[in-house]
């Protein structure tokens, strides 16, 4: 079963697929538009399951243009349009994965805002978009105009995603073994220090997701609270010393922390952890049986452009914790990590 999100040329996508029937019905000029996009070599994100098209996403850069075909009109800015977005069966979790694609692309083009026009009947998709900060701010004929402002924070972790506020927040370092890190953060893997953040080859539910579930036996993580920032530290592998191979790769934000005791039974535990965890249901059952199992749910906000090595942390940031598994960072250390990691400044809004 292939559930990979891929970037595919319009010319290589079958317009006669029944998936497009509703779009042809809603948009009388859809077929002409699709053929035009095929000829100009445009591409769209798609996902197939058992060779059946399940989702389609077309993004367009409309920067430098006033938006005049909506009411009210919107002034010129760096704007990205979600041109066409359809998901079969209003699959919420699949919707989240495509929302991450939208956010990744918006950051890549440094968009000030993202907009999508959508018919009110698509209430499932609207709810997903609203969950991550899209607001109804106009009309285009019978369609709603939903806008995501990429320059303003609301104070809600999910509505603000992927943007972060760092001032006034507690910061911590969390270590993850390489075998787990590669599965959880595929766009933060070490590969000649190259960052493949825009187009991921491997793309399955728990890898390319907004939310991450991490399980551990570190009691100190119980102190974590919603909004705390986490620098993800990939521990060394067998290819070199920790000084060069142990690196900070990513920044996440805590949504909530639970223990296995917070769940009524193993089925509740599985329902909470299964989709966003890298572990199989059988492995999760084993975790549930362990004492002092801590469950960290996080949003995955930033993949560092450059890895921050253990050597830099020790030499320049004077880090010397008793235990590298988990410890609190100072504001200065965290800011230095972001700077050394060449984090896109547009993600941080203070």
């Amino acid at each position: 079963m292939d559930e990979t999100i891929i970037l595919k040329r319009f010319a290589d996508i079958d317009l006669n697929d029944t998936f497009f029937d509703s779009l042809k019905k809603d948009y009388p000029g859809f077929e002409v538009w699709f053929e035009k996009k095929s000829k100009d070599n445009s591409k769209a994100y798609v996902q197939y399951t058992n060779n059946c098209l399940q989702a389609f996403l077309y993004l367009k850069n409309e920067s430098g243009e006033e938006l005049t075909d909506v009411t009210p009109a919107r002034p010129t800015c760096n704007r990205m349009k979600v041109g066409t977005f359809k998901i079969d069966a209003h699959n919420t979790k699949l919707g989240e994965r495509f929302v991450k694609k939208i956010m990744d692309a918006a950051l890549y083009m440094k968009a000030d805002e993202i907009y999508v026009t959508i018919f009110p009947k698509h209430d499932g998709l609207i709810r997903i978009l609203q969950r991550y900060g899209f607001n109804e701010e106009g009309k285009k004929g019978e369609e709603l105009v939903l806008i995501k402002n990429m320059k303003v924070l609301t104070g809600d972790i999910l509505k603000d995603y992927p943007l972060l506020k760092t001032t006034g927040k507690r910061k911590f370092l969390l270590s993850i073994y390489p075998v787990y890190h590669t599965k959880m953060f595929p766009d933060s893997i070490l590969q000649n220090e190259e960052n493949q953040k825009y187009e991921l080859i491997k793309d399955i539910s728990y890898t390319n997701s907004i939310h991450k579930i991490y399980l551990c036996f570190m009691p100190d993580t119980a102190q974590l609270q919603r909004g705390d920032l986490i620098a993800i530290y990939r521990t060394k592998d067998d290819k070199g010393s920790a000084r060069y191979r142990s690196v900070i790769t990513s920044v996440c934000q805590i949504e909530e922390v639970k223990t296995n005791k917070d769940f009524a039974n193993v089925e509740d535990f599985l329902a909470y952890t299964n989709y966003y965890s890298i572990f199989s249901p059988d492995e999760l059952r084993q975790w549930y049986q362990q004492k002092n199992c801590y469950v960290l749910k996080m949003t995955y906000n930033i993949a560092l452009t450059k890895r921050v090595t253990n050597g830099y942390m020790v030499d320049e940031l004077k880090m010397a914790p008793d235990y590298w598994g988990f410890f609190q960072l100072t504001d200065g250390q965290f800011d230095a990590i972001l700077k050394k990691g060449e984090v896109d400044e547009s993600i941080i809004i203070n």
Side-chain angles (χ1 to χ4, degrees), residues 32-257:
V32 173
W33 172 81
F34 195 99
E35 292 295 345
K36 181 182 177 183
K37 292 299 173 186
S38 296
K39 291 177 181 177
D40 67 16
N41 207 34
S42 292
K43 298 178 181 179
Y45 288 105
V46 293
Q47 176 174 305
Y48 294 86
T49 301
N50 296 328
N51 295 318
C52 294
L53 187 57
Q54 296 289 306
F56 181 93
L57 170 66
Y58 169 67
L59 302 173
K60 182 183 179 185
N61 188 337
E62 292 190 351
S63 296
E65 301 176 19
E66 184 180 359
L67 192 56
T68 58
D69 60 349
V70 303
T71 304
R74 300 189 66 81
T76 300
C77 70
N78 286 345
R79 180 178 292 113
M80 188 179 80
K81 179 181 182 181
V82 180
T84 306
F85 186 22
K86 182 192 173 186
I87 293 175
D88 263 353
H90 297 309
N91 184 322
T92 299
K93 290 172 181 175
L94 179 57
E96 289 176 4
R97 293 171 62 199
F98 273 85
V99 167
K100 185 176 187 303
K101 284 291 186 189
I102 292 170
M103 301 302 186
D104 287 348
L107 290 173
Y108 185 81
M109 65 159 277
K110 301 189 183 302
D112 297 319
E113 70 176 33
I114 312 166
Y115 85 102
V116 57
T117 63
I118 188 168
F119 287 106
K121 65 182 179 181
H122 300 305
D123 55 335
L125 197 51
I126 290 171
R127 283 196 299 272
I128 293 170
L129 290 167
Q130 288 177 331
R131 184 184 187 202
Y132 296 104
F134 284 82
N135 297 310
E136 182 183 338
E137 296 196 18
K139 293 283 185 70
K140 181 180 179 181
E142 297 179 5
E143 293 181 281
L144 307 177
V145 177
L146 303 183
I147 304 287
K148 163 84 172 179
N149 190 319
M150 296 292 286
K151 297 298 179 185
V152 177
L153 294 178
T154 67
D156 182 295
I157 288 175
L158 298 187
K159 289 185 184 298
D160 290 340
Y161 176 86
L163 308 177
L164 284 177
K165 177 181 179 182
T166 61
T167 56
K169 296 288 187 73
R170 299 193 304 171
K171 293 97 174 175
F172 297 84
L173 178 145
L174 175 70
S175 292
I176 298 182
Y177 290 128
V179 62
Y180 301 140
H181 181 276
T182 299
K183 292 180 179 179
M184 288 183 70
F185 303 99
D187 51 346
S188 296
I189 61 174
L190 271 70
Q191 187 172 350
N192 299 324
E193 294 300 298
E194 250 179 58
N195 185 12
Q196 301 177 10
K197 64 184 178 182
Y198 188 48
E199 291 178 32
L200 305 183
I201 297 171
K202 190 174 179 68
D203 186 322
I204 51 181
S205 58
Y206 55 70
T207 58
N208 195 37
S209 61
I210 291 171
H211 307 278
K212 303 290 180 182
I213 292 283
Y214 185 65
L215 307 179
C216 68
F217 296 116
M218 294 183 280
D220 285 352
T221 60
Q223 68 181 287
L224 289 169
Q225 300 171 2
R226 184 175 178 85
D228 286 345
L229 302 180
I230 304 294
I232 301 296
Y233 180 69
R234 175 198 181 275
T235 60
K236 81 177 191 72
D237 49 28
D238 58 3
K239 296 179 181 178
S241 70
R243 182 172 178 81
Y244 302 104
R245 298 295 295 181
S246 292
V247 294
I248 293 176
T249 67
S250 318
V251 174
C252 295
Q253 187 166 203
I254 291 291
E255 292 183 61
E256 58 185 354
V257 176

Side-chain angles (χ1 to χ4, degrees), residues 243 308-322 324 327-330 332-334 336-337:
R243 182 172 178 81
V308 179
T309 65
N310 170 276
Y312 174 81
M313 290 184 274
V314 172
D315 295 346
E316 301 298 327
L317 304 185
K318 308 304 179 185
M319 292 185 188
D322 294 331
W324 280 88
F327 62 93
Q328 189 164 356
L329 300 169
T330 66
Q333 288 170 337
F334 189 81
I337 288 166

